[in-house]
Amino acid sequence: MTSPLRIALIIASTREGRFGPTVARWFETVTAGRTDIELTLADLTDADLPAHWTPDLTPQGRAFVEHLATCDAYIVLTPEYNHSFPASLKQAIDIAGPVWKRKPVGFISYGGLSGGLRAVEQLRPVFAELHAATIRETVSFHQFPFDRAGQPHDHTNATQAATTLLDDLAWWGHALRTARRPDRARTEAA
């Protein structure tokens, strides 16, 4: 049996009153019954990343990057701000640099009429430049359609979209994890 795929759910917004943690809590309930994945949170508010690029990180920043490095795949949970993604996310992507290489990235987005999809479309070429494989399937929330209990109004379709994203991410995650194995590289070089 293959070990569970380790996925980091990255909460990208650092703004006061952000909606990301609500979506993250719901998404954790969707993944709760799955034995093929191990979901961990990576919240940018806890990362204490610098406002400008530097190789010198705080202990929290180093722990954040080290956590990402141990993962097989990622889901970026992003809002859309001014037709794009948050600056805090771009800083985290750049600082983590090589951890994304040859790993799959999926997206959950939220915000306004577009549901954050414009942010996702701008993130795809950023991750492509870092040699990551972005997953086509996304989960998108338009106009913050959650009730007071933190559940989507259209729970059935939201859960179906999340399951489809997770299934694709798991497939790519397992395939790329196998391809990254050092013993595989030695065998192919021979």
Side-chain angles (χ1 to χ4, degrees):
M1 168 139 172
T2 306
S3 63
L5 193 69
R6 193 167 154 92
I7 300 173
L9 176 61
I10 302 164
I11 303 175
S13 177
T14 58
R15 286 188 180 181
E16 181 104 13
R18 63 202 174 122
F19 186 63
T22 300
V23 180
R25 284 189 294 277
W26 165 77
F27 191 74
E28 285 179 302
T29 67
V30 172
T31 64
R34 294 187 68 132
T35 58
D36 61 332
I37 64 169
E38 176 187 323
L39 187 74
T40 61
L41 289 182
D43 192 334
L44 290 184
T45 60
D46 299 331
D48 191 28
L49 297 175
H52 56 85
W53 193 92
T54 176
D56 301 319
L57 298 176
T58 64
Q60 296 94 326
R62 278 193 302 281
F64 178 79
V65 173
E66 289 168 4
H67 171 231
L68 293 180
T70 67
C71 293
D72 301 302
Y74 309 97
I75 298 174
V76 175
L77 171 54
T78 186
E80 181 180 313
Y81 296 153
N82 301 318
H83 289 231
S84 189
F85 54 90
S88 55
L89 177 57
K90 181 63 165 88
Q91 181 69 341
I93 292 168
D94 290 346
I95 286 173
V99 304
W100 314 106
K101 189 173 186 177
R102 296 186 177 129
K103 294 181 182 178
V105 180
F107 302 99
I108 301 173
S109 63
Y110 61 90
L113 292 175
S114 77
L117 292 174
R118 292 178 288 213
V120 169
E121 290 310 309
Q122 290 188 26
L123 283 164
R124 291 184 188 284
V126 172
F127 280 108
E129 184 63 24
L130 296 167
H131 301 276
T134 61
I135 305 304
R136 181 193 175 280
E137 301 299 332
T138 61
V139 179
S140 173
F141 294 105
H142 308 263
Q143 301 290 344
F144 310 101
F146 278 65
D147 62 24
R148 290 179 190 259
Q151 295 299 310
H153 293 298
D154 188 355
H155 185 74
T156 301
N157 284 329
T159 301
Q160 183 177 3
T163 300
T164 301
L165 168 66
L166 285 167
D167 290 346
D168 279 0
L169 192 65
W171 188 93
W172 280 99
H174 286 292
L176 291 173
R177 181 168 69 182
T178 298
R180 286 191 314 273
R181 286 190 186 137
D183 57 334
R184 182 177 173 87
R186 280 192 292 268
T187 303
E188 290 175 358

